[in-house]
Amino acid sequence: MTVVKDSGARAIMPPFGDEHEQLRETVARFVAAEIAPHVDEWEAAREFPRELYRRCAELGFLGLKFPEAYGGQGGTHLHDAVWVEELAHSGGSGGVAAGLNAHTSIAMPPIFNFGSEEQKQRWLVPGIAGEKIGALGITEPGAGSDVASIATTAKRQGDAYIVNGAKTFITNGVRADFLVCACKTTEEGGHGGISFLVLEREMPGYEVAAKLEKMGWHSSDTGELAFTDVEVPAENLLGEENGGFKLIMANFAWERLVMSIGAVGAMRRLIETTVAYALDREAFGHPIGKFQAIRHQIAEMATEAEAARAQTYDALRLFHEGRDCIKEVSISKLLTQRTALRIADQSLQIHGGYGYMREYGIERAVRDARLGPIGGGTDEIMKEIIGKTMGL
Ligand SMILES: Cc1cc2nc3c(=O)[nH]c(=O)nc-3n(C[C@H](O)[C@H](O)[C@H](O)COP(=O)(O)OP(=O)(O)OC[C@H]3O[C@@H](n4cnc5c(N)ncnc54)[C@H](O)[C@@H]3O)c2cc1C
């Protein structure tokens, strides 16, 4: 069989252009130099230093998609997508990516999209500067997929809301300075009775109840929060009272795209690492990558990763153009998370016993990838959404 040598050079893939590719190189250099070498240490410490937010902010990475007036770079979601993909590709830590992305991709966007000018000055500006860290609190001990059934209450009393309840599985929940928090503002709650309030960690009655131990994402903090009669000034209401469901839906699209793009970056890293290992490792007198079984396995991994990337970039294009894309985003989330998990597991198999050891970062990739089909809306919920968009 004739071997066709491929130079590896690729034309720039839409929706990205030259400018994005330059940013990609800058981000990749930064992540390889200032994040990747520390990942093992941060995973063991169960957190990355808070200082990393400041450093990323200094380089402009926390505000890529926000206007310059708030300290951002005045870019678009495409610039942010480059950051998210390269953070996963060059960093190799789901936890570091989760901690940074929860701040930039799920906690700050609602403030930018729904906040008043005064609220933007209070939380978005210091957030972009890496001075205040944000988290998004929707999930509760008794309500995950069924978002509308949250039980945390916010009862209006004069100029304030009195908040009681609990949130769990909150990324950055332990270190967050502010929490964009979903609360019930009517007796019935549900779609027409949820509002968002910004809670601040120093408010009396706001308690970090636990830092949760988990399977992967070790360098990110995942918190359980408890609220006992927390008095939240009415001026901390984000958007309209009882209009919170709109905010949740608006946020989910970008969150799910971010998870899809992160998986695309993680898959690229896994395949590069696996090809290098398969060419280096010898068994029975040959590099293992020269065995047809392994060569075919890697070819299938590359095929699945490329298909997932094409789907994700297309959903990103639709989102960027402001078109309806709930179906395409849900398909990307469903496709990329399972594919990334499968590819991580196959990479581990090809690495043999070394894959099971900490040294290569492959076992971490498997553990980190397992969250994908759960977080940000489970696979089953993605299928429900896709089915509903098809009239089922
Ligand atoms: C590490 C980590 C970080 C997270 N970060 C955040 C965060 O920052 N902020 C936040 O608000 N949340 C966060 N979450 C929560 C996450 O979004 C939820 O875990 C997720 O939405 C699923 O909710 P649940 O865990 O309560 O599962 P459940 O909703 O209890 O679901 C359990 C199982 O039932 C299935 N199921 C439920 N309903 C249906 C249905 N209608 N049809 C078929 N199957 C169904 C689910 O798919 C799942 O398999 C995080 C979770 C983790 C693990």
Side-chain angles (χ1 to χ4, degrees):
M1 195 182 129
T2 317
V3 176
V4 181
K5 198 106 171 98
D6 186 318
S7 70
R10 290 283 175 276
I12 295 170
M13 284 173 86
F16 300 110
D18 282 333
E19 177 200 349
H20 304 112
E21 296 313 303
Q22 281 166 20
L23 174 66
R24 191 183 292 283
E25 278 175 32
T26 309
V27 174
R29 256 199 317 274
F30 161 71
V31 175
E34 300 192 34
I35 292 183
H38 306 290
V39 162
D40 287 342
E41 180 195 330
W42 295 344
E43 287 275 306
R46 294 292 192 266
E47 63 181 9
F48 61 83
R50 207 182 149 97
E51 180 50 36
L52 184 61
Y53 290 97
R54 292 296 294 269
R55 178 67 182 141
C56 293
E58 196 175 86
L59 298 171
F61 298 141
L62 300 189
L64 287 166
K65 64 181 172 304
F66 298 117
E68 289 172 23
Y70 301 113
Q73 302 302 303
T76 68
H77 285 90
L78 297 185
H79 297 92
D80 221 25
V82 167
W83 158 252
V84 168
E85 186 179 331
E86 281 317 310
L87 189 55
H89 172 242
S90 303
S93 164
V96 175
L100 294 171
N101 291 340
H103 175 60
T104 55
S105 298
I106 62 173
M108 289 201 289
I111 293 174
F112 176 63
N113 291 322
F114 295 89
S116 65
E117 192 50 42
E118 195 248 335
Q119 290 174 332
K120 288 176 189 161
Q121 293 300 330
R122 276 173 75 192
W123 299 300
L124 184 66
V125 171
I128 291 172
E131 288 160 5
K132 280 190 181 166
I133 311 305
L136 177 73
I138 298 178
T139 307
E140 300 188 351
S145 303
D146 185 7
V147 173
S149 73
I150 60 161
T152 293
T153 54
K155 292 194 174 143
R156 186 74 189 243
Q157 220 173 72
D159 287 341
Y161 289 91
I162 306 301
V163 176
N164 282 286
K167 296 286 170 187
T168 196
F169 304 154
I170 306 305
T171 305
N172 292 345
V174 179
R175 63 169 36 150
D177 300 294
F178 64 90
L179 176 76
V180 177
C181 184
C183 305
K184 243 170 78 168
T185 32
T186 63
E187 224 22 73
E188 314 75 50
H191 295 86
I194 293 175
S195 309
F196 273 84
L197 293 171
V198 182
L199 273 58
E200 292 165 299
R201 64 176 300 128
E202 62 276 5
M203 290 176 169
Y206 180 111
E207 186 200 347
V208 177
K211 180 172 179 174
L212 301 168
E213 278 292 324
K214 52 196 186 292
M215 176 180 178
W217 283 22
H218 282 171
S219 49
S220 73
D221 89 53
T222 307
E224 190 164 302
L225 305 169
F227 317 124
T228 313
D229 292 330
V230 183
E231 193 177 323
V232 183
E235 69 209 28
N236 286 26
L237 173 73
L238 204 54
E240 288 168 24
E241 192 177 64
N242 299 324
F245 216 77
K246 201 167 75 184
L247 187 151
I248 292 177
M249 290 302 127
N251 228 34
F252 269 151
W254 183 241
E255 176 177 11
R256 289 167 184 166
L257 265 176
V258 163
M259 290 187 70
S260 304
I261 296 159
V264 166
M267 288 188 275
R268 279 175 53 212
R269 179 185 182 88
L270 281 162
I271 290 171
E272 286 165 11
T273 309
T274 305
V275 168
Y277 187 80
L279 288 172
D280 185 55
R281 177 72 175 172
E282 295 203 357
F284 302 97
H286 299 283
I288 58 168
K290 297 293 178 188
F291 296 126
Q292 192 181 48
I294 289 191
R295 194 164 59 230
H296 283 195
Q297 177 81 69
I298 294 176
E300 280 184 25
M301 288 158 64
T303 304
E304 289 191 11
E306 285 298 330
R309 168 154 69 160
Q311 166 62 35
T312 299
Y313 282 9
D314 198 48
L316 174 64
R317 175 185 64 81
L318 294 174
F319 180 88
H320 176 64
E321 290 172 359
R323 295 175 191 264
D324 282 346
C325 57
I326 182 164
K327 181 180 173 191
E328 289 78 7
V329 168
S330 307
I331 289 175
S332 297
K333 165 79 170 55
L334 180 64
L335 176 65
T336 50
Q337 308 306 303
R338 277 284 159 194
T339 308
L341 179 58
R342 199 164 47 245
I343 286 180
D345 184 56
Q346 290 166 343
S347 292
L348 194 150
Q349 186 67 17
I350 292 170
H351 279 74
Y354 290 100
Y356 199 71
M357 299 298 131
R358 287 271 154 96
E359 188 185 345
Y360 285 82
I362 304 291
E363 60 82 38
R364 178 170 67 238
V366 175
R367 289 187 286 104
D368 287 351
R370 188 61 189 87
L371 193 267
I374 299 171
T378 66
D379 278 6
E380 291 73 24
I381 296 303
M382 291 309 102
K383 290 178 201 173
E384 282 295 294
I385 296 171
I386 296 163
K388 282 185 183 156
T389 64
M390 297 167 75
L392 298 168

